[in-house]
Amino acid sequence: MPADLIDRRLLSFLLYDWLQAERLTAYGRFSEHSRATFDAALDAAGLLAANEFAPLNRELDENEPQFDGERVLILDRLRGALEAFAKSGFLAAAQDAELGGMQLPVVIEKACLAFFKMANIAASAYPFLTIGNANLLLAHGTPKQIEVFAQPELAGRFFGTMCLSEPQAGSSLGDIRTRATPDGAGFEACALGPRYRLFGNKMWISGGEHELSENIVHLVLAKIADGEGVLPAGVKGISIFIVPRRLVGENGSVGERNDVVLAGLNHKMGYRGTVNTLLNFGEGRFRPDGSPGAVGYRVGAAGQGLAIMFHMMNEARIGVGLGATMLGYAGYRYSLEYARERPQGRPIGPDGKDPTQPQVPIIRHADIRRMLLAQKAYTEGALALNLYCARLVDVQHHAPDGTERAEASLLLEMLTPIAKSWPSEWCLEANNLAIQILGGYGYTRDYPVEQYWRDNRLNMIHEGTHGIQALDLLGRKVVMREGAGFSLVAGRITATIDAASRAAHPDTRRFATQLQAALEHVGRVTRVVWAHGDPRGALAHATPYMQAFGHVVLAWTWLELSLAASRAYRPQDDAFLHGIWAACRYFFVYELGRVAAWLAPAESGDRTVQDLQEVWL
């Protein structure tokens, strides 16, 4: 892994030349910040990630968590890295100063957190889940819940999880069976929130059991049973509960073990340093106050659990996209360094047949350059999209103009499925190409690129598969509010096309024409698939539609970056800026043409998938 992790010229270009992050200091919340404070935070993140997280990456992969019958055993050195992260203040980087936070813009916070995801994705999962957990409680919890649970998380004393899936339900959350029953006659009057007892099973819970923190705050989806013990049907009956691993008093004191039991560990192909668990709630092994059931405190109103949990899920989806991006970027940086140093073969031409001539670095071979440029286009484009979405969060919450806030919110809602799924597919492809560049060495554990691939393969499933994100995009996002979200995205893309069509360079004008055609194609197919009001027929094409939509969004991103590079041209950055233009050109020449192929079956009304009978398989 390169010593500098992320190229700071790239971050500076994205944050300042393109996203104009310094302008956020005009918002009252960020008025005490400047580019100097932003850069200081980035410097601190890069140093901490390189010194504390990166050295543990291979060691955590080779030493998975184990259960000894009493405790989950995790590499001891991980605790030190996580303590250093907490002491640095990055758990509360974007929070109010009153909460111990740095009050950084989210776009700067995410740029800082990108260093840790690149350095060690498995170690970073613990604090990042905790940040999302605390953010949910800050948005929806009571003042007492924030004081007792969220603030210790932001200080690094408690870590957090989210507990959604169940063995029999998977992603079908309406079918969960975990039940909650009121804990006594006065359950509504509990100072920590309405108090319940929970019974059920949760699966795939990252960070669900360990000794890395004083306590673990589980956010658990469950259904409140009626007087006869019957659970409500569907997602509208889901509520959300704080279920601490150890009970917490009203004054924040940590007490005895709650009735939450480790049922087993899952051993995944990647993220091996992140303990992944099956948890049983209310099994009876631990019975606080002598009665069965895991003690939990409801967050928000009954039946609003899924809507509240989406606060954390949407944040996690963008976080998954950023993690996928940084794993792809890590592979790109490593394979680039390798290609510059690895001698093999000779140039094509008369001298190439002379065995007495020295071999050349493989970066001089055209196919290696193609694979490197593809990785650059995928990973740097994905990072740009991730940071763009983060900036939308800042505008959504803090812009003084209400219309600007509303538009940022709608854009973010539209782009979230893309920000999660596109990097987890195409930055995984970048990892494929990194392995290919290393040849036989790429498949060995002597080099890190095979671990990057294994780690990244999980991100295609994390926080909703491609298929689920695609159903959300085509089935809900593009048609909500009579297509207002789609129109807004299309309007932003069109504005970039208009600017590019007036550019001096003929390639830029040509790319504008290509993007206009691709955008119109997506719009036409969107209308075609919904013309007959047949959800089953339309959604059969959801995943290729999302792939096409995603490539249009990334082409827009690269055209934006190309224009920003032209505006920011400096002779001392000539090579770097030419790299931006080369990656943009690659995307338009090699990638944008895929859009038409992805859209063709939907446009023609093809029924290959719908008409398939199970016995044919």
Side-chain angles (χ1 to χ4, degrees):
M1 183 179 293
D4 62 346
L5 297 180
I6 306 172
D7 183 348
R8 284 298 297 274
R9 290 176 303 173
L10 175 63
L11 271 186
S12 294
F13 171 74
L14 295 176
L15 291 171
Y16 305 126
D17 292 317
W18 179 46
L19 292 174
Q20 303 292 309
E22 287 176 275
R23 294 183 181 178
L24 293 172
T25 59
Y27 296 175
R29 177 178 176 78
F30 311 123
S31 60
E32 295 187 7
H33 280 293
S34 64
R35 177 166 177 170
T37 63
F38 294 164
D39 281 341
L42 293 166
D43 290 342
L47 189 64
L48 182 62
N51 290 342
E52 298 287 347
F53 277 60
L56 296 179
N57 192 47
R58 175 54 59 88
E59 196 171 356
L60 278 175
D61 186 64
E62 294 175 342
N63 295 274
E64 294 183 72
Q66 301 294 329
F67 182 53
D68 69 358
E70 294 183 5
R71 298 185 309 155
V72 172
L73 305 178
I74 302 176
L75 191 71
D76 287 341
R77 292 175 60 203
L78 176 59
R79 179 188 287 273
L82 297 177
E83 288 177 350
F85 185 93
K87 289 177 182 177
S88 73
F90 284 112
L91 278 165
Q95 302 302 338
D96 295 343
E98 290 78 6
L99 293 171
M102 302 181 196
Q103 217 157 296
L104 286 171
V106 172
V107 68
I108 302 299
E109 177 206 31
K110 297 306 181 190
C112 290
L113 298 184
F115 285 100
F116 298 96
K117 289 179 179 286
M118 179 177 174
N120 193 324
I121 196 72
S124 72
Y126 298 96
F128 293 166
L129 281 166
T130 301
I131 291 169
N133 183 303
N135 284 341
L136 183 148
L137 293 176
L138 291 170
H140 300 284
T142 66
K144 196 66 176 178
Q145 288 171 342
I146 292 170
E147 175 193 340
V148 171
F149 297 109
Q151 288 187 225
E153 289 183 303
L154 295 176
R157 288 179 50 218
F158 296 177
F159 283 173
T161 76
M162 58 177 176
C163 302
L164 288 70
S165 298
E166 298 179 7
Q168 82 291 338
S171 299
S172 182
L173 295 178
D175 295 314
I176 65 172
R177 297 174 189 162
T178 298
R179 74 181 190 278
T181 59
D183 189 19
F187 77 99
E188 288 278 3
C190 179
L192 295 179
R195 177 171 163 144
Y196 291 77
R197 299 286 177 138
L198 276 73
F199 304 84
N201 316 100
K202 293 294 180 178
M203 192 170 190
W204 310 120
I205 311 307
S206 294
E209 178 68 17
H210 54 71
E211 306 293 333
L212 295 169
S213 58
E214 188 177 344
N215 206 353
I216 301 174
V217 179
H218 301 294
L219 289 176
V220 184
L221 293 185
K223 295 182 177 181
I224 300 173
D226 64 17
E228 298 180 357
V230 177
L231 298 179
V235 297
K236 293 183 179 180
I238 296 176
S239 299
I240 187 169
F241 303 86
I242 300 167
V243 184
R245 177 180 185 248
R246 292 190 176 275
L247 297 176
V248 182
E250 294 177 11
N251 62 355
S253 60
V254 178
E256 63 186 326
R257 182 72 185 253
N258 202 354
D259 197 3
V260 182
V261 179
L262 176 68
L265 299 181
N266 300 304
H267 296 282
K268 296 185 176 181
M269 65 188 294
Y271 279 71
R272 290 180 175 178
T274 306
V275 61
N276 192 273
T277 64
L278 296 84
L279 298 178
N280 291 346
F281 295 83
E283 185 179 81
R285 188 177 307 179
F286 302 103
R287 297 190 175 205
D289 302 328
S291 56
V295 174
Y297 307 96
R298 197 184 73 222
V299 180
Q304 296 300 306
L306 196 58
I308 294 172
M309 182 59 88
F310 262 104
H311 184 109
M312 187 174 180
M313 287 174 66
N314 282 332
E315 184 176 336
R317 285 173 174 174
I318 294 174
V320 167
L322 181 58
T325 296
M326 300 321 298
L327 285 167
Y329 185 74
Y332 163 55
R333 294 292 302 278
Y334 192 90
S335 63
L336 175 60
E337 190 175 85
Y338 180 90
R340 285 173 170 158
E341 297 175 354
R342 165 68 173 175
Q344 185 174 316
R346 295 166 181 83
I348 294 175
D351 292 340
K353 296 181 179 180
D354 183 355
T356 65
Q357 294 297 313
Q359 296 190 82
V360 297
I362 62 172
I363 197 171
R364 297 187 190 174
H365 299 310
D367 199 48
I368 299 294
R369 295 153 82 94
R370 175 190 63 82
M371 291 188 283
L372 288 168
L373 192 52
Q375 290 183 75
K376 181 180 178 71
Y378 299 151
T379 61
E380 294 183 5
L383 179 57
L385 176 61
N386 295 148
L387 294 178
Y388 178 77
C389 287
R391 197 184 191 287
L392 288 176
V393 175
D394 291 316
V395 176
Q396 175 189 18
H397 292 300
H398 304 297
D401 181 76
T403 300
E404 191 178 3
R405 291 196 303 271
E407 288 190 353
S409 180
L410 187 56
L411 277 171
L412 189 62
E413 194 167 359
M414 285 292 299
L415 293 176
T416 294
I418 303 301
K420 185 274 173 189
S421 284
W422 198 94
S424 61
E425 179 171 0
W426 292 98
C427 293
L428 179 68
E429 175 58 20
N431 292 129
N432 280 333
L433 294 173
I435 291 173
Q436 191 73 12
I437 287 171
L438 267 69
Y441 295 112
Y443 295 93
T444 71
R445 294 198 178 185
D446 298 314
Y447 295 85
V449 291
E450 63 87 27
Q451 182 188 339
Y452 297 147
W453 187 94
R454 285 188 289 104
D455 285 339
N456 216 355
R457 183 59 183 83
L458 275 63
N459 288 318
M460 297 181 80
I461 294 176
H462 280 160
E463 305 310 323
T465 63
H466 281 345
I468 289 172
Q469 305 301 326
L471 292 173
D472 180 43
L473 179 65
L474 182 57
R476 191 171 75 87
K477 298 292 176 64
V478 300
V479 296
M480 66 182 179
R481 292 168 49 181
E482 299 182 343
F486 183 92
S487 296
L488 181 59
V489 172
R492 294 294 177 96
I493 296 174
T494 299
T496 303
I497 291 170
D498 290 344
S501 66
R502 298 190 297 272
H505 201 286
D507 277 354
T508 308
R509 298 195 299 272
R510 176 165 56 88
F511 298 157
T513 301
Q514 288 178 250
L515 183 54
Q516 181 68 48
L519 177 63
E520 290 174 356
H521 197 176
V522 171
R524 185 167 65 251
V525 170
T526 305
R527 293 188 294 272
V528 165
V529 297
W530 285 114
H532 303 295
D534 174 18
R536 181 175 296 180
L539 297 179
H541 301 288
T543 294
Y545 175 90
M546 184 179 70
Q547 290 172 307
F549 196 108
H551 256 48
V552 168
V553 167
L554 265 293
W556 167 45
T557 302
W558 271 114
L559 195 55
E560 277 277 306
L561 297 180
S562 175
L563 293 172
S566 296
R567 293 191 299 268
Y569 182 78
R570 299 174 288 266
Q572 64 269 30
D573 289 332
D574 182 78
F576 170 79
L577 294 173
H578 270 87
I580 297 293
W581 290 319
C584 176
R585 180 172 184 172
Y586 174 88
F587 203 89
F588 277 86
V589 171
Y590 284 84
E591 295 291 336
L592 193 58
R594 299 176 189 257
V595 169
W598 282 321
L599 293 176
E603 189 169 27
S604 68
D606 182 80
R607 293 187 54 85
T608 299
V609 175
Q610 298 99 301
D611 292 343
L612 177 69
Q613 296 182 28
E614 293 177 20
V615 295
W616 297 349
L617 293 171

